[in-house]
Amino acid sequence: MFELGKRIVDSKRNWIRFSISLIVLLVASFCGQLYLSYQDHIASTDTTLENLSLTLIKQAEAEFRSTELALRFARDKLQDNPNPDSWDDTQAYDSLRGVVAAFAQSDVAVSKHDLFWVDSKGVVRVTSYSHPTPEILAIDRDYFEHHTENTSPDVYYSGSLQSRLTNRWVIYQTLRLNDAEGNFAGVVGITTRVDAFEYFYKQLALEPGSSVVIAQKSGKWSYRYPFDPASSSINVFETPEFQVMEERQRGQLVIEHSPYDQKRRRAGFYWMEPIELLAVVTIPQQSVWQQFLPVVEQRGAILLITLLALIIATVAYSRVYKRSDEAMRLSRIDKLTGIANRRELDDRLQLDWRAMQRSSEPLGVLFIDIDYFKNFNDEYGHDAGDRCLRRVAKLISSELRRPNDLIARYGGEEFVVLLPGNDYQNTANMAQVILDCIRKEKILHVASPISSYLTVSIGFASLIPQQNLELRELQGQADRALYVAKGLGRDRAVGADDIKQQTRKNA
């Protein structure tokens, strides 16, 4: 019975292992594919950010280049007078308005711009949008300080600053004015309204949480969309990420802590070297995951359906398998006694014979026959006889302590016990134990001519299977020993070696 049960258990375990392995494989495959898809999504997002930064840096460069042309034109008109400080405000206003009017008719500019002139004392003398201009000092502005100390003819960028005349947030581009001797004569500047950038970037329909940063290194300023006045004072060139951007010129990177909102952001950037202009487009890492979430949900639903189908199939198969196992088990069990039947015994004999042959170990076998069982049936009836068979089978089974030992019903009132690994002496000991067990049970049998209680006769044998031996040799020895036991008066155990010794004595 052990081998049958072991085969059934092994089959069930194999099926469970297969099911678990398949589920693990599906989940691992799902996770692996999801991971690769997410990496592709990240790579695609980073490439999009980088490409967008290139587009925006070119747009910003074109914007600032066009305003620089207008600014230089305005400076040249002002410096036509060898002493700009002596200009009449109305004359200067008309001149600046003329430049703005010509500039506004150009197709290169999409933003609103205004020109202004600050004299050498730091007084805002004229603006293109206000005449007469209220007296306002610009001596504290960084561009005034820069041009006072530097004779460079290059454009100076400063921003984002809030205009003192309009209260609008603007980005400044300024140039130094010189008199006929080359001395500082003031500043001419042009402003670009921040809300023009806001309008342009809104048209891009960026993902929620995205940001655009335009920064200029020499002026140490940055503009960030969406615009927040509090962020205008942040110098992105002091962040560690900028070192990477300046070195690599363009590309992608992860900003662990954005200086604007402290979020982890993915960024694409482009650095325009000649004018030291930087464009950075970012998106929060969380938003990247949220964009990918529908893919997770879709694939998760597919995995869930697949696993559900697998579980249903497993349950259905298990039920069929259980019925099949039960049918197989019943086909190898004696219905009356519940122990192994002749079919299971024959299979186990073959298996144990080969196993003991490989390991060079002995195989013991007991042939057991209930004495005068026909008389028992005649005396007590067949129902009592069936109960007796079940009781004897149970008693013998209770004495088999090792898991590989097997008891089987051989037919009628005969039983066979297999004892793998038992030598002759251990087999003889087991035969005596079973004999004594039946005697101690004292099952009444008044129709027996040898005892008032039920007895059994046992023939046993044990040998090590060899290449020149066959299984039937072992079976024949035990069968002959049983025949001798019956001939000697029954209620005894006789071994094959006992018969051999007796035969040698008689010879």
Side-chain angles (χ1 to χ4, degrees):
M1 284 304 294
F2 173 77
E3 188 65 28
L4 171 62
K6 184 175 182 296
R7 287 201 298 270
I8 293 174
V9 170
D10 287 345
S11 297
K12 288 181 177 178
R13 285 177 177 171
N14 290 337
W15 169 246
I16 291 172
R17 289 192 192 103
F18 172 77
S19 300
I20 293 175
S21 299
L22 186 56
I23 291 173
V24 170
L25 181 63
L26 284 173
V27 173
S29 175
F30 169 78
C31 293
Q33 291 179 1
L34 197 64
Y35 174 78
L36 293 176
S37 296
Y38 185 54
Q39 294 306 309
D40 289 342
H41 174 67
I42 288 177
S44 175
T45 299
D46 289 347
T47 301
T48 300
L49 293 174
E50 180 183 354
N51 293 338
L52 188 55
S53 72
L54 174 59
T55 300
L56 297 184
I57 196 70
K58 289 186 178 297
Q59 181 271 337
E61 182 196 26
E63 184 70 29
F64 291 132
R65 289 294 190 191
S66 63
T67 52
E68 182 180 336
L69 288 174
L71 177 62
R72 290 186 182 278
F73 184 51
R75 181 194 62 180
D76 293 343
K77 286 183 72 66
L78 287 175
Q79 291 195 147
D80 283 345
N81 186 325
N83 185 12
D85 277 353
S86 66
W87 265 51
D88 176 75
D89 290 354
T90 301
Q91 186 182 9
Y93 173 75
D94 291 339
S95 178
L96 295 184
R97 286 293 299 172
V99 174
V100 169
F103 183 59
Q105 292 174 4
S106 172
D107 293 333
V108 265
V110 295
S111 302
K112 297 295 183 180
H113 306 281
D114 293 298
L115 285 161
F116 65 92
W117 166 40
V118 179
D119 65 19
S120 60
K121 297 180 178 61
V123 178
V124 179
R125 293 281 298 277
V126 175
T127 67
S128 62
Y129 51 84
S130 175
H131 183 69
T133 301
E135 185 173 321
I136 295 177
L137 290 177
I139 195 170
D140 60 332
R141 291 295 199 184
D142 66 323
Y143 61 78
F144 187 83
E145 181 180 350
H146 172 82
H147 291 301
T148 301
E149 298 175 354
N150 294 275
T151 60
S152 171
D154 294 335
V155 174
Y156 179 76
Y157 292 80
S158 60
S160 306
L161 300 174
Q162 192 171 20
S163 170
R164 288 169 177 166
L165 283 176
T166 64
N167 289 324
R168 297 191 187 99
W169 283 86
V170 294
I171 296 172
Y172 287 81
Q173 289 170 270
T174 55
L175 284 170
R176 174 184 168 113
L177 289 174
N178 294 318
D179 60 18
E181 286 76 30
N183 297 317
F184 177 67
V187 175
V188 62
I190 190 168
T191 61
T192 302
R193 297 179 187 176
V194 165
D195 55 14
F197 282 94
E198 292 285 296
Y199 176 79
F200 177 77
Y201 293 142
K202 282 180 181 176
Q203 310 311 306
L204 299 177
L206 299 173
E207 292 291 337
S210 298
S211 72
V212 177
V213 175
I214 301 294
Q216 205 274 336
K217 185 178 181 181
S218 60
K220 298 180 181 178
W221 64 268
S222 64
Y223 154 76
R224 182 180 187 263
Y225 168 82
F227 181 69
D228 179 1
S231 67
S232 61
S233 61
I234 295 175
N235 185 359
V236 297
F237 301 102
E238 294 179 351
T239 63
E241 287 81 11
F242 170 72
Q243 307 300 325
V244 178
M245 296 180 192
E246 187 176 27
E247 179 181 341
R248 289 166 51 186
Q249 301 289 300
R250 65 175 292 179
Q252 309 151 9
L253 81 165
V254 176
I255 301 174
E256 292 297 336
H257 300 285
S258 168
Y260 297 99
D261 58 13
Q262 301 304 308
K263 291 182 179 179
R264 190 173 193 264
R265 289 178 169 270
R266 306 198 72 85
F269 63 90
Y270 201 98
W271 170 258
M272 189 70 70
E273 184 62 43
I275 59 174
E276 297 183 312
L277 197 63
L278 173 69
V280 186
V281 184
T282 75
I283 186 171
Q285 183 72 52
Q286 183 65 27
S287 295
V288 177
W289 170 249
Q290 288 174 348
Q291 291 173 4
F292 189 68
L293 196 57
V295 177
V296 178
E297 293 172 347
Q298 182 186 41
R299 296 191 179 184
I302 294 173
L303 176 66
L304 187 61
I305 292 171
T306 303
L307 291 177
L308 186 61
L310 178 61
I311 292 171
I312 292 173
T314 301
V315 171
Y317 182 83
S318 296
R319 290 179 179 177
V320 173
Y321 194 78
K322 183 178 180 181
R323 289 194 292 268
S324 176
D325 280 349
E326 185 65 15
M328 183 178 71
R329 188 182 69 84
L330 292 175
S331 70
R332 293 175 173 273
I333 291 176
D334 178 63
K335 293 181 180 180
L336 177 63
T337 59
I339 61 175
N341 60 13
R342 180 71 176 268
R343 178 182 177 183
E344 176 66 11
L345 173 65
D346 291 341
D347 287 348
R348 270 295 304 274
L349 274 168
Q350 294 290 339
L351 289 172
D352 287 350
W353 180 265
R354 289 194 293 268
M356 296 302 103
Q357 190 177 61
R358 286 192 298 269
S359 61
S360 297
E361 293 182 88
L363 175 60
V365 62
L366 309 178
F367 277 29
I368 305 171
D369 187 78
I370 299 177
D371 296 329
Y372 300 107
F373 187 69
K374 182 178 181 303
N375 295 357
F376 189 94
N377 275 334
D378 291 343
E379 178 68 24
Y380 301 106
H382 288 284
D383 288 343
D386 290 345
R387 289 194 296 273
C388 177
L389 289 172
R390 285 194 290 268
R391 193 170 178 183
V392 170
K394 186 176 181 180
L395 288 170
I396 297 173
S397 297
S398 67
E399 298 299 334
L400 304 180
R401 312 294 183 183
R402 302 182 310 165
N404 284 341
D405 294 343
L406 175 78
I407 176 176
R409 188 180 178 195
Y410 195 67
E413 68 274 18
E414 295 181 76
F415 300 91
V416 174
V417 173
L418 294 184
L419 302 169
N422 269 26
D423 59 15
Y424 185 82
Q425 185 57 52
N426 287 331
T427 303
N429 292 341
M430 179 56 70
Q432 190 60 48
V433 167
I434 292 174
L435 197 68
D436 293 341
C437 176
I438 301 298
R439 288 170 178 167
K440 290 177 182 178
E441 191 66 15
K442 293 187 176 183
I443 301 171
L444 195 62
H445 187 1
V446 295
S448 171
I450 61 172
S451 173
S452 299
Y453 301 103
L454 191 78
T455 59
V456 296
S457 297
I458 302 175
F460 63 90
S462 177
L463 55 81
I464 299 175
Q466 304 290 336
Q467 293 292 340
N468 59 342
L469 289 177
E470 294 184 5
L471 175 59
R472 60 187 178 185
E473 175 65 21
L474 176 64
Q475 293 174 288
Q477 288 185 16
D479 190 48
R480 287 193 294 273
L482 176 61
Y483 180 78
V484 170
K486 289 182 178 181
L488 293 174
R490 310 191 186 215
D491 187 22
R492 69 193 66 229
V494 174
D497 287 4
D498 298 333
I499 298 174
K500 292 177 184 177
Q501 292 175 5
Q502 187 63 39
T503 301
R504 284 197 292 269
K505 286 182 182 180
N506 293 338

